[in-house]
Amino acid sequence: MMRILGYFLVIIGVLLGVYLLMALIGVTSYTEHLKGEKPSFLIVYYMGIIVAMIVLAVADFLLIRYGRRLIRKAKNKAQNISTGEKQL
């Protein structure tokens, strides 16, 4: 069960990472709505995007790392059980 949950978290993390990259490319390439804005607004706008992307990227990294940890823990548990049975 832990292995399935781990794989699920890793898949969700990878998909979230792809989505974040697509969102970042979309936000930075679509600039028509920003024409005529003051430079101070543009600085705050792009800094907000950068901060949000960093926070979400860290959350994505932690999600993938936790999923891989669950997978590794399940594999180690299965190996311990199988080696324990062989010794008996």
Side-chain angles (χ1 to χ4, degrees):
M1 184 65 183
M2 284 177 23
R3 185 181 285 183
I4 294 171
L5 181 63
Y7 282 122
F8 181 72
L9 290 177
V10 169
I11 289 171
I12 293 296
V14 169
L15 292 176
L16 179 64
V18 170
Y19 179 73
L20 286 174
L21 285 175
M22 289 176 19
L24 183 63
I25 291 169
V27 166
T28 56
S29 65
Y30 179 67
T31 58
E32 288 86 27
H33 68 287
L34 296 175
K35 290 185 177 168
E37 296 291 340
K38 295 180 180 179
S40 61
F41 174 78
L42 294 176
I43 291 171
V44 172
Y45 178 76
Y46 283 118
M47 288 302 290
I49 290 171
I50 290 171
V51 169
M53 288 294 169
I54 289 172
V55 168
L56 290 174
V58 168
D60 185 39
F61 174 75
L62 292 175
L63 182 70
I64 292 172
R65 193 171 83 174
Y66 184 68
R68 291 182 68 196
R69 185 180 299 159
L70 284 178
I71 294 168
R72 190 170 45 247
K73 187 184 287 188
K75 284 182 181 179
N76 287 341
K77 189 174 182 181
Q79 283 180 345
N80 289 342
I81 290 173
S82 65
T83 56
E85 292 173 359
K86 287 181 183 177
Q87 291 176 355
L88 293 176

